[in-house]
Amino acid sequence: MLKLRSLGILLMLFWIASCTEENLGVTFVTTEEVLFASGDQVRLLGRVISDQDVQVQDHGFYLAEDEAFSSPQIISLGEKSGPGRFIGEVSGLKVGTIYFAKSFMELSGEMIFGNSLELSTLEPAVKSFSPEFAAVGEELIIEGRNFGEDTRVFFGDQEAQVLENTLQSKLLVRVPNPGDEAQVPIRVQVQDREVSSPTLFEYQIGTYELISTYPQEIKLYDNVFFQNGPNEFYIGLGSERRLSFINGFQKFDAASSSWESVQFPGSSRSFAFFTDRYIGGGLSQLGSNPFVFDPTFWKFESGQFIQKPDLPFLTRDALAFEFEEDLYVLGSNANSMPFFSKFNSSTESWEVLPNSPVSFGRNDVSFTYQNKAYLLSTSDASIWTFDFSLQTWEEIASFPGNLGNGRGMARIIGNKAYIGLFERTNELWELDLDTFTWTRKNPMPGLPQSVLVGHFVSGPNIYIIRVPDITLAGQYPMDLYRFDPNGI
């Protein structure tokens, strides 16, 4: 009985205490923490604490640059029913700045403030960007932090278009036109702060200038071209649309930008092999089956075509290159058997060399550099060297670009090789012959469905002329372009 009486007294005391706390009406607001801070944005957590179901007319945060909150920004979240946490967010703040924040609530017409917190917005930074090499108009991603709403991006002094700003940490931009330099820093401006990329961005460069047009309105195919000195370029032989032979040459003078017809004393032909000093082989009839081969062999010397003894082999679509005035020819003979032969210019005799490890022909490209011939096979993109002294072959690299239908270009300027412009592609690549690294150049203007008619080197420039593919209807001009590999 005593136990029951004691329990009743205890319950009564709890009830009295409970009634006393209700009458006190404990309600207040607190500023709990900074949930997030970036360069120009802050997210805050506050809390209304009460022992009763309060109706708050307004609540939120005050934010100011001074602890006295003399000119605060007010983040008003409006009415709130009952106690609990709330989150406020504000943007457009100054980067790298100290702020003070406090929560507030309006209850029964009275403004009640919580405790004050000190916080700081963050500085922007650039971590990386990719790709590090690109052409004008391509998209590039910049990784970093604290990129505010009005972030601007510059490639050197050229402003880029900002396409997206994701979570203030990733910018998608479009590469702008270049200024005067091919390698530039990427600068990111956020308000009055500027940060730069740790590495330089490199533009894809190379400019093309249309300087002339072939003087005849024809589609020249399966032709010959060669160069005499730095300024004289010869284009000719071959056929018009593979329907009729071209009998001679057109000579272009780069110094005067003029054309001149040049007669060829030999027979017309297509698919001949050629270098800057030699022309030989090929077919003497169009559309014949079986092929009718031309065995004659010519040397261009002192501005004249000089006939040499006939070739000891018959061939079409062979590939030829020179080294120390000697001529090297490799391809297939009339019986489709591979061969590799050398013409000794001093003795005017031919020597049969061991066959190359892979088949090469007119569809492939070649150039010589420092005692070696470099040959690119369009069948598998492999690049081989032939050592003239040791007469040995070695596979050294692979072409990274589009091989199209073959019949491309390879030209040397200094220690750089320029390879590409294969049929049905406008791609051109630069190969550093010291480091063996590839760099993509700007594509050649005009129709990709084109075939090279000629290419020459004069000083720091390459002169290039192409003809639209024979399958394209209509008459197209054969435009001659001057390509500056370092043009911006």
Side-chain angles (χ1 to χ4, degrees), residues 464-486:
I464 306 167
I465 186 168
R466 299 213 296 174
V467 59
D469 190 274
I470 198 171
T471 59
L472 294 174
Q475 196 67 44
Y476 296 89
M478 294 197 297
D479 292 329
L480 177 63
Y481 286 87
R482 180 167 53 214
F483 171 67
D484 179 359
N486 298 311

Side-chain angles (χ1 to χ4, degrees), residues 2-15:
L2 183 59
K3 290 182 179 181
L4 291 175
R5 186 180 301 150
S6 299
L7 180 59
I9 294 171
L10 183 60
L11 291 174
M12 184 176 293
L13 290 173
F14 276 123
W15 178 77

Side-chain angles (χ1 to χ4, degrees), residues 5 20 25 28 73 79 196 250 265 268 282 285 401 421 424 431 440 479:
R5 186 180 301 150
T20 303
F28 61 95
Q73 295 187 54
E79 296 181 354
S196 297
Q250 291 287 341
S268 300
Q285 289 188 17
L421 300 182
R424 293 187 173 271
L431 173 62
R440 191 175 71 233
D479 292 329

Side-chain angles (χ1 to χ4, degrees), residues 68 78 98 138 147 219 222 230 255 268 274 294 329 380 398 418 430:
I98 294 176
E138 293 185 352
F147 300 140
K219 281 188 175 181
D222 313 318
S268 300
F274 58 93
D294 191 324
V329 182
D380 61 1
S398 181
Y418 297 92
E430 177 185 273

Side-chain angles (χ1 to χ4, degrees), residues 414-466:
N415 65 338
K416 305 290 178 62
Y418 297 92
I419 305 173
L421 300 182
F422 292 93
E423 182 181 346
R424 293 187 173 271
T425 172
N426 284 356
E427 284 187 17
L428 185 60
W429 290 77
E430 177 185 273
L431 173 62
D432 188 311
L433 294 167
D434 293 332
T435 62
F436 250 79
T437 54
W438 295 93
T439 302
R440 191 175 71 233
K441 310 304 286 186
N442 281 333
M444 185 173 178
L447 293 169
Q449 306 97 317
S450 296
V451 181
L452 278 166
V453 172
H455 47 85
F456 319 92
V457 172
S458 180
N461 301 313
I462 302 176
Y463 290 75
I464 306 167
I465 186 168
R466 299 213 296 174

Side-chain angles (χ1 to χ4, degrees), residues 54 94 130 186 194 225 254 256 268 304 332-333 338 347 379 400 411:
V54 295
K94 297 178 182 178
S130 64
I186 293 180
E194 179 177 295
F225 58 89
S256 61
S268 300
Q304 301 292 324
S332 299
N333 62 21
T347 63
S379 62
R411 282 289 179 178

